[in-house]
Amino acid sequence: MMERRQYRFYGRVQGVGFRYRAQYTASRLGLTGWVMNEYDGSVLLEAQGEPEALERLVHDLRTSSRWIMIENFTCRECPVDPEERSFRVRGGYDY
């Protein structure tokens, strides 16, 4: 069963390698989607795959780096994109 979720992460999540850590972790977990910085200092991420892998993604992002400090995040479900084949870092805002 595939799910797609959109997350918005707040805290020390820009300028600390968050997007590249997310890409590495999502790819390792077999997830597809994208991640990008936002102007307000948050990071927006959409990922799809097995629900357990999506849960593991958030866990790993919270614990995999001493530089990343997720203070809060939101999550909502989105429609699955059956054409998506990889996880990528999108342009978006960057310091």
Side-chain angles (χ1 to χ4, degrees), residues 44-82:
L44 189 62
L45 181 150
E46 280 196 18
Q48 72 182 21
E50 297 293 325
E52 297 82 15
L54 292 167
E55 295 296 327
R56 185 66 193 204
L57 172 67
V58 173
H59 174 269
D60 288 359
L61 288 174
R62 294 188 100 163
T63 61
S64 65
S65 169
R66 65 183 177 142
W67 305 110
I68 295 169
M69 178 66 67
I70 297 170
E71 294 173 2
N72 194 15
F73 71 94
T74 62
C75 176
R76 70 177 185 89
E77 290 194 26
C78 303
V80 171
D81 179 353

Side-chain angles (χ1 to χ4, degrees), residues 7 19 23:
Y7 299 92
R19 292 176 299 158
Q23 181 182 36

Side-chain angles (χ1 to χ4, degrees), residues 3-56:
E3 289 184 11
R4 185 177 188 91
R5 299 179 189 168
Q6 182 182 81
Y7 299 92
R8 184 176 299 271
F9 295 96
Y10 300 91
R12 191 171 62 215
V13 293
Q14 288 193 16
V16 292
F18 184 94
R19 292 176 299 158
Y20 299 98
R21 174 65 63 179
Q23 181 182 36
Y24 169 80
T25 303
S27 296
R28 181 175 52 81
L29 293 169
L31 299 170
T32 63
W34 52 266
V35 62
M36 66 184 269
N37 286 347
E38 294 281 79
Y39 287 103
D40 66 358
S42 67
V43 173
L44 189 62
L45 181 150
E46 280 196 18
Q48 72 182 21
E50 297 293 325
E52 297 82 15
L54 292 167
E55 295 296 327
R56 185 66 193 204

